[in-house]
Amino acid sequence: MTEPAKKILVFSHKAEVRDSIINAVGRRPAADLGKVTYVEATGVADVLVEMDSGEIDLAILDGEAQPTGGIGLSRQLKNELADCPPIVVAVRRRDDRWLATWSQADAVLVHPLDPLAAAEIVADVLRNQRVPAVNG
C-alpha cells in the first residue's frame, strides 16, 4: 500500500533558495516513503496560513530569509502551535547549527546542499513523525 504524498512547506524570500531545497530533497526522499509535494512560501504570513491549515507534514525554513529568518520563525512556530509539524532549518554556515538548536528545529540542512544528505535528513524527520506515541 502506498502512503499518501507528504506535503512539505519550503520558505524563503528567494526563489533560487526554494528551488535548491526542492531539488536537493527531491520528489521522493527515500524508497520507504511516499512521494512528497511542495508548497512554497515567500513570506511569514504565507507560512503561518499553511502551518495553521494542519495540512503540512514538514516545513523547511531558510535561516537567512529576509526580513524574518527561518530560525526565529521556527522557534515562534514551535512555541505557538499546539501540534507543530516537524521543522528543518537551512543555514548557510556549519557554525550556525547552534542557532538551529536554539530554534527548536527538528533537523538542520547546511548550504551548499548535498542532495544525498538533504534527502536523508528529510526522510529521517518524516519517519520520526510517523512513529506512534507510546501511552503509558
Side-chain angles (χ1 to χ4, degrees), residues 53-133:
S53 76
E55 296 178 6
I56 300 299
D57 295 297
L58 174 104
I60 303 174
L61 309 178
D62 176 12
E64 308 293 322
Q66 296 294 325
T68 302
I71 293 170
L73 185 54
S74 173
R75 187 171 176 94
Q76 176 186 348
L77 292 167
K78 288 291 189 173
N79 286 309
E80 291 180 2
L81 292 179
D83 192 20
C84 186
I87 296 174
V88 176
V89 173
V91 296
R92 296 275 176 263
R93 301 176 319 143
R94 194 165 291 283
D95 292 346
D96 288 340
R97 293 173 69 91
W98 73 271
L99 287 168
T101 301
W102 172 85
S103 76
Q104 302 173 13
D106 297 274
V108 181
L109 299 175
V110 180
H111 290 279
L113 299 176
D114 171 352
L116 293 176
E120 183 177 324
I121 288 166
V122 168
D124 285 346
V125 173
L126 287 170
R127 282 186 201 106
N128 289 336
Q129 175 196 32
R130 67 181 184 183
V131 173

Side-chain angles (χ1 to χ4, degrees), residues 131-136:
V131 173
V134 178
N135 295 325

Side-chain angles (χ1 to χ4, degrees), residues 6-10 38-39 47 49-60 83-86 129:
K6 298 287 187 183
K7 191 182 257 188
I8 297 178
L9 173 70
V10 179
Y38 293 96
V39 176
V47 172
V49 166
E50 290 296 336
M51 294 294 272
D52 281 340
S53 76
E55 296 178 6
I56 300 299
D57 295 297
L58 174 104
I60 303 174
D83 192 20
C84 186
Q129 175 196 32

